Amino acid sequence: MNTKKVGFIGLGNMGFPMASNLLKAGYTVYGMDVNRESEERFAEIGGEIGFVSAPLPDDVNVIFTSLPTPQVVETVYLGSEGLIANGGAPLTLIDLSTVSPEMNKKVANAALEKGIQYLAAPVSGSVSGAEAASLSVMVGGNKETFNDARPYFEGIGKNIFHVGEDHGLGTIVKLINNLMAGIHTQAMAEALAIADAVKLDHDVVYDIVNVSSGQSGIFTRNYKNFIAENEYYKGAFTTALLFKDIKLANHVSNLYGAKLPLGESLVNYLEDNIDGYADKDMSSVYLMLTEQKGEPVK
Ligand code: NAD
């Protein structure tokens, strides 16, 4: 697998900085995105563009993907124009997206049937972590393939974990993480809603909670980078992506018979209220909760 040429499909909020870090680590990176502007931005920093997923040069035998939803992952990997139909050994495909464990297994089976290696490797650490190459990477799949891929992971992250041979296992940890991130995000929104109701300065609440038992990395992320800046787009993890992940966490818990009373309530709450906030960062659940949408402020 050791090649200095890699493909990278999906140059979005996460993919772009990850692909940039692979460039900085000395790899030649063939970037591809359905959004032409993202590709052009990638070319400006030294990326190779102008390819469609299948006909990447023959000597590119490691391809990463960072895609928004399980549906897009299914198309890019399993569609008739996709990576597996058009790829052949030696090739390793590494999916950095957050999808379902079942999708990981479906892709793995199709890949392995053709002798293509596949790792499901969701990441955590926000856009800032992707920019700083300090992501956590949680990988499901063959240990030997993981060991071979480690140098690439070290180009994008700091904490690299092989969770198990089962391709869905890294994803399960990622969904646990994002369920917690979603619940902390809602908790933070409710905390600031109380502050607003009693006209207490947000900074006062943040400064005290941040050194007290309600502290969380999510509060710091959401408050410092977004809410305090009144900036909900730059560097986003969108509310739509959070909603996808909380639904996936509930789906997994239902499959295995775990109980998620808060997780389930959050799915229902977001379902009813996400309109107008889906494309904003997840910290906008604070706005979702406090904007009165035409109702008089009590
Ligand atoms: P994004 O929407 O910013 O990026 C996705 C990119 O994929 C876009 O540039 C889009 O144009 C491109 N794309 C869509 N369909 C495509 C196709 N068929 N072929 C090629 N490119 C296509 O999303 P993101 O925030 O970068 O997230 C990507 C993945 O990483 C998601 O699964 C998300 O859950 C996960 N993730 C995001 C964050 C975060 O903070 N944003 C953190 C950890 C994990």
Side-chain angles (χ1 to χ4, degrees), residues 21-32:
N21 284 328
L22 290 170
L23 278 176
K24 284 185 206 143
Y27 297 104
T28 301
V29 185
Y30 295 83
M32 194 255 169

Side-chain angles (χ1 to χ4, degrees), residues 9-18 32-36 38-39 53 65-70 72-73 75-76 95-99 122-128 135 174 178 221 235-238 241-242 244-245 281:
I9 303 177
L11 302 168
N13 282 327
M14 291 298 282
F16 191 92
M18 289 193 277
M32 194 255 169
D33 196 294
V34 285
N35 181 339
R36 188 74 199 151
S38 302
E39 288 195 349
S53 56
T65 51
S66 176
L67 298 163
T69 61
V72 174
V73 165
T75 306
V76 168
D95 191 12
L96 304 161
S97 326
T98 309
V99 297
V123 298
S124 179
S126 302
V127 174
S128 55
L135 293 170
K174 169 67 186 174
N178 277 25
R221 175 208 181 272
F237 174 59
T238 60
L241 289 180
L242 176 71
K244 167 201 64 147
D245 291 352
D281 182 69

Side-chain angles (χ1 to χ4, degrees), residues 2 11 13 47 62 67 72 78 88 105 119 126-127 169 179 207-208 221 240 243 260-261 290 295 298:
N2 285 329
L11 302 168
N13 282 327
V62 177
L67 298 163
V72 174
L78 302 174
K105 288 180 202 170
L119 295 172
S126 302
V127 174
L169 277 182
L179 171 70
D207 288 346
I208 296 173
R221 175 208 181 272
F243 186 34
L260 307 185
T290 54
E295 305 223 340
K298 289 190 184 141

Side-chain angles (χ1 to χ4, degrees), residues 248-267:
L248 287 170
N250 269 274
H251 168 72
V252 168
S253 102
N254 287 338
L255 276 183
Y256 291 92
K259 287 191 182 135
L260 307 185
L262 278 185
E264 223 175 281
S265 303
L266 196 51
V267 168

Side-chain angles (χ1 to χ4, degrees), residues 195-208:
D196 288 349
V198 301
K199 303 202 182 336
L200 191 57
D201 193 302
H202 285 175
D203 276 343
V204 171
V205 175
Y206 174 75
D207 288 346
I208 296 173

Side-chain angles (χ1 to χ4, degrees), residues 31-223:
M32 194 255 169
D33 196 294
V34 285
N35 181 339
R36 188 74 199 151
E37 275 173 28
S38 302
E39 288 195 349
E40 278 161 10
R41 226 159 40 93
F42 190 56
E44 279 165 24
I45 61 161
E48 305 288 329
I49 60 163
F51 298 89
V52 288
S53 56
L56 281 171
D58 280 348
D59 54 350
V60 174
N61 48 30
V62 177
I63 301 176
F64 291 88
T65 51
S66 176
L67 298 163
T69 61
Q71 293 75 13
V72 174
V73 165
E74 183 159 31
T75 306
V76 168
Y77 278 86
L78 302 174
S80 56
E81 304 292 312
L83 290 167
I84 291 173
N86 291 286
L91 175 63
T92 302
L93 301 173
I94 301 178
D95 191 12
L96 304 161
S97 326
T98 309
V99 297
S100 64
E102 294 105 304
M103 181 59 67
N104 295 146
K105 288 180 202 170
K106 195 168 165 186
V107 172
N109 290 340
L112 295 174
E113 247 172 50
K114 283 194 76 178
I116 296 171
Q117 300 302 314
Y118 163 78
L119 295 172
V123 298
S124 179
S126 302
V127 174
S128 55
E131 286 167 351
S134 64
L135 293 170
S136 301
V137 189
M138 39 212 107
V139 186
N142 179 264
K143 183 74 189 278
E144 213 173 301
T145 311
F146 167 79
N147 287 338
D148 288 345
R150 190 179 260 284
Y152 303 102
F153 290 136
E154 285 170 351
I156 60 167
K158 203 163 69 181
N159 298 299
I160 320 293
F161 301 93
H162 181 248
V163 188
E165 296 273 330
D166 180 318
H167 289 88
L169 277 182
T171 293
I172 289 179
V173 180
K174 169 67 186 174
L175 295 176
I176 289 171
N177 182 79
N178 277 25
L179 171 70
M180 295 187 72
I183 290 173
H184 287 308
T185 291
Q186 182 62 20
M188 168 230 68
E190 294 184 14
L192 294 184
I194 299 175
D196 288 349
V198 301
K199 303 202 182 336
L200 191 57
D201 193 302
H202 285 175
D203 276 343
V204 171
V205 175
Y206 174 75
D207 288 346
I208 296 173
V209 171
N210 192 41
V211 293
S212 304
S213 54
Q215 189 276 341
S216 72
I218 286 290
F219 192 7
T220 300
R221 175 208 181 272
N222 287 348
Y223 184 62

